[in-house]
Every structure is written in structure tokens, then in C-alpha cells.
Amino acid sequence: MAEKYPWKLAVLDANDSWTTDLFGACAEHCDVLMLRPREVRTFLRQNTSLRAIDFRPRPTGPGLWEQRLAMPPGWLFHGWAATRLFLRSFLSRFAAGAPLWLVHNLPHYAGLWERAIYYCVDDYTNYWPGREALTARRERESVQSAALTVCVSRARREELAARIPERAERIQYLPHAASERFLPPEPLAEPGPVPPELPQLPRPVVGWVGALCARFDYAWVAEAARLLPHAQFVLAGTPPKGIEGDEQWKASLAQCGNFSNIHFVGRLSHTIVPSFLQSCDVLMLPYSDIAFNRSASPIKYWECLASTRPMVGSDRVSELIFPGNGLKIASTPSEFAQMIAQFLETTDTQARARWEFAQSHTWKHRAARLAHWVASCPPQTATAGVATA
């Protein structure tokens, strides 16, 4: 049985699957509140009306609550003074006199709560164009005021430790993890059946599911499709609009339309993503060479790993390059195609190794480590207020 601690956790913003999975698993160790603030227009796109706002925490499982909030435009910036008071009222109510740790994964929450854990998922200077300097300043304040900073990528951990050396000992590395809902009961030495919702294409199938934006390198896929005309390349995700990448990226996207063995199948329901991954002969992770990717920790790697199917990726994401990761890493498009071909032409013998590795790196393992860190970490008094943009 997991050790229960007397303190509580509140998580801002608990809007992404990896945040929900990690801190949902933390509910085995303490009471957890998932705070889900959304800008009001986004809130209304996801809910039928403002009646979906939770004015009190709503229980969702043992030791676990959530609270959905609709926020006005600009609430993180020019509306911060009012936002701070608003959010603190919910935190105080949930604490109910018990020690409460606030986990926040946006640097603009710096100074919101006295016991703070800064959960750093990305390089946030990529998030708000025109506010890069402000975001970097707030991130420094977050690291300095937090008792603990937790980074999901080694690159971000090293960067913050170098930039704020006086807090280096309080900056930890905790990567993403494999979700148990993606793990099959046994490793798959052969691909599983294709979900009936998807086109029943001739094999072999090389698959991807996820973002099809500028983080995805279409030039690599086009080259692989050219060199492997017998393979079907299935791209599942929201169809790209072709407006965000540079001209070379747009040209590569357009080039993919010239190949009959590249298939855009649209966004998949979350319920069939695990079975889609398990149905592929090979899974691909062709990340592009952009700043966002270089410091990222892609959750897609862990989802693909959990499927136990063979994987080939690009060398643009340093987080994915470590011994025993079960992922073949290519440095050029032609090498990418060659590695895919090698998997298609030989018997896969590593399915069990990938399965066992994923089983030993689940969210429960990550939550236990995080809970241990928090238990041994004295609170750091937060900085007195944060400048308003």
C-alpha cells in the first residue's frame, strides 16, 4: 500500500493528459485537487454552458477532486491581480487548514502560493509571442520561489540549473511515463488488428498519431514514402493547415500529397489510439528541427513504447536519446527510411524488452518518486507578489 502523507496537492493547470496521469497517480499518496481553468471561449467550446463551472471541488475518484473554471481573456497577464485573489480563495478552501502544496506548470503563477512546486513541461518562451522576456523573468521567479522545480526533460533541467545555479539542488528531472491504458496484456511480436474505424490498408503500415503541426517533419515522411513505396504511411491527427511552418515545411507538407501511400486519416478518438498504435508494423516519430522540439519531452514516445511495437525517430529531440530506450534514432531522412525497412524485413525480437521497460516506467512509479521528494522538501517562502504585465 502506498504511503499516505498529511499534506494536500493542488495542480494548476491540470488540462493535459500527462498532468492528469501523473497527479492522478499522486492521489494514492495524498488528497489531490485538479484545477482546470480555461479562457471562457475555450471553456464554452468544451462545455455546453457556463453551468459546467465547478464552484466547489467535485470528487472524481479516491482522494481526487477536480474543479473546472472559466476565466476572462488576459487573466494570466493584465488581469493577474484579480486572478491571484480568485485562485487563492479556491486553494484556501481546499486546504481546509491542512498543509497544501501548489503544483503549477506555467511560470506566470509565480508567487501565487507559499508552498510551491514548479512543474516545467516545456520551454514556455515559445508559448506567448511577444512576451518572451516577461515569461523568462517569471520563470526565474518561479524557480527561486518554489521549494522544488520538476522538469520533464533533461535539457530543461540542465538549462534552468545553469541559469539559476543557486537553486540547482532543488531542480529535479522527472520524465513522462507510460500509461497503463496503452499497455497490452502481453508484448506484441506481431501487429494487432487495425481498428474498424480506420481504413483497412494493405500491410505494412507505418503509423503516427498526434500533432501534425510544425513539430512534425514532413520531408522525412515524404522521403520514406518515396524509398518504401510498398509501405503505407498513416498520419492520424488534426489535418495541418499549412500556415504555421516556414516555406520549406509547407513545401514538404505539399509534397506528401503527391504520394498515394501517405494517408491522412484525421483526428482519432482517444479510445482507439492504443489499438491503432498496437496495429502498426512500425511507429514513427519524425520530429522536426525547431527550438520547441529540442527542449521537449514528447509523450508520444511513451505511448508508442507502451504499445510494444518497433519505433523509429529523428535525432532532433535530445530527451529521446538514451541507452535502452527501444527507439531507433535516425539522423537523416534516408537513414530514417532505412531503419524502417530494417524493421519491416526482419523479425522483431525486442517487443518484450519494450513491454518490460514500459511496465517499470509507469505514472505510478513517477508519482511515488515525486511524493518522496515533496515529503523531504521544506517549503520555501514565496516571493512577495509578482509584477503585473
Side-chain angles (χ1 to χ4, degrees):
M1 180 179 293
E3 182 178 359
K4 277 281 189 180
Y5 294 104
W7 34 261
K8 299 179 180 181
L9 281 181
V11 185
L12 267 173
D13 295 340
N15 291 324
D16 295 307
S17 63
W18 46 89
T19 309
T20 300
D21 286 340
L22 173 60
F23 296 104
C26 284
E28 292 190 12
H29 303 276
C30 63
D31 288 346
V32 177
L33 170 64
M34 303 285 197
L35 280 167
R36 307 186 192 278
R38 296 279 197 186
E39 197 271 335
V40 63
R41 290 166 294 188
T42 303
F43 185 93
L44 288 173
R45 284 197 297 269
Q46 297 176 340
N47 301 277
T48 55
S49 74
L50 292 178
R51 293 180 181 178
I53 293 173
D54 297 315
F55 292 99
R56 296 181 181 277
R58 181 166 53 88
T60 58
L64 190 62
W65 289 262
E66 78 166 2
Q67 199 161 5
R68 298 165 298 181
L69 304 172
M71 310 296 288
W75 54 282
L76 267 181
F77 298 103
H78 56 263
W80 173 246
T83 297
R84 185 174 186 274
L85 292 174
F86 180 70
L87 293 175
R88 281 184 65 88
S89 69
F90 290 115
L91 296 173
S92 297
R93 186 181 302 170
F94 180 68
L100 175 69
W101 287 91
L102 172 66
V103 179
H104 66 91
N105 65 354
L106 294 179
H108 297 282
Y109 290 122
L112 174 61
W113 194 255
E114 290 71 28
R115 291 182 175 89
I117 300 166
Y118 175 41
Y119 183 54
C120 180
V121 175
D122 287 315
D123 180 350
Y124 296 105
T125 58
N126 295 303
Y127 274 42
W128 298 277
R131 298 184 185 270
E132 291 85 355
L134 172 64
T135 300
R137 187 168 72 249
R138 293 276 176 85
E139 182 164 69
R140 175 178 286 275
E141 292 168 353
S142 289
V143 175
Q144 290 176 328
S145 64
L148 181 67
T149 293
V150 178
C151 297
V152 302
S153 79
R154 288 182 295 263
R156 282 254 71 198
R157 193 269 161 198
E158 292 166 3
E159 177 192 349
L160 290 178
R163 183 150 57 96
I164 313 171
E166 67 273 19
R167 300 297 292 165
E169 292 184 357
R170 288 294 180 185
I171 304 175
Q172 299 282 7
Y173 167 57
L174 188 72
H176 288 318
S179 172
E180 292 180 348
R181 66 179 178 271
F182 282 84
L183 273 163
E186 292 290 334
L188 300 176
E190 298 292 336
V194 176
E197 296 90 341
L198 289 169
Q200 303 298 301
L201 300 169
R203 291 194 179 275
V205 171
V206 182
W208 158 271
V209 57
L212 290 168
C213 57
R215 298 186 65 186
F216 187 86
D217 200 321
Y218 289 98
W220 286 48
V221 178
E223 180 66 0
R226 184 184 72 83
L227 294 173
L228 303 171
H230 64 293
Q232 308 302 314
F233 292 80
V234 177
L235 309 183
T238 301
K241 298 177 180 178
I243 59 174
E244 59 174 277
D246 58 23
E247 292 305 314
Q248 184 177 356
W249 181 84
K250 293 175 185 176
S252 298
L253 170 58
Q255 184 184 10
C256 285
N258 299 327
F259 291 92
S260 61
N261 61 334
I262 297 180
H263 309 271
F264 290 87
V265 297
R267 187 179 180 87
L268 301 186
S269 164
H270 291 298
T271 59
I272 69 169
V273 169
S275 57
F276 168 70
L277 294 176
Q278 294 167 17
S279 75
C280 293
D281 294 270
V282 177
L283 296 166
M284 57 180 170
L285 293 90
Y287 287 102
S288 58
D289 189 15
I290 60 174
F292 193 100
N293 283 342
R294 287 193 289 271
S295 62
S297 178
I299 192 66
K300 287 300 156 200
Y301 161 73
W302 293 98
E303 293 173 353
C304 292
L305 174 74
S307 77
T308 76
R309 301 303 301 141
M311 305 178 290
V312 178
S314 63
D315 62 354
R316 274 72 175 275
V317 182
S318 62
E319 180 65 17
L320 301 186
I321 304 174
F322 60 92
N325 64 357
L327 173 68
K328 282 184 177 289
I329 299 290
S331 57
T332 65
S334 59
E335 187 178 26
F336 179 69
Q338 182 183 17
M339 288 179 173
I340 292 173
Q342 289 172 352
F343 273 129
L344 297 179
E345 295 166 0
T346 59
T347 300
D348 177 32
T349 60
Q350 296 301 309
R352 179 163 293 277
R354 290 188 290 268
W355 187 69
E356 292 176 350
F357 185 75
Q359 283 194 318
S360 63
H361 291 77
T362 66
W363 290 113
K364 288 185 178 181
H365 291 89
R366 301 290 192 254
R369 187 185 305 178
L370 178 62
H372 172 74
W373 286 341
V374 176
S376 60
C377 188
Q380 171 86 1
T381 301
T383 53
V386 176
T388 302

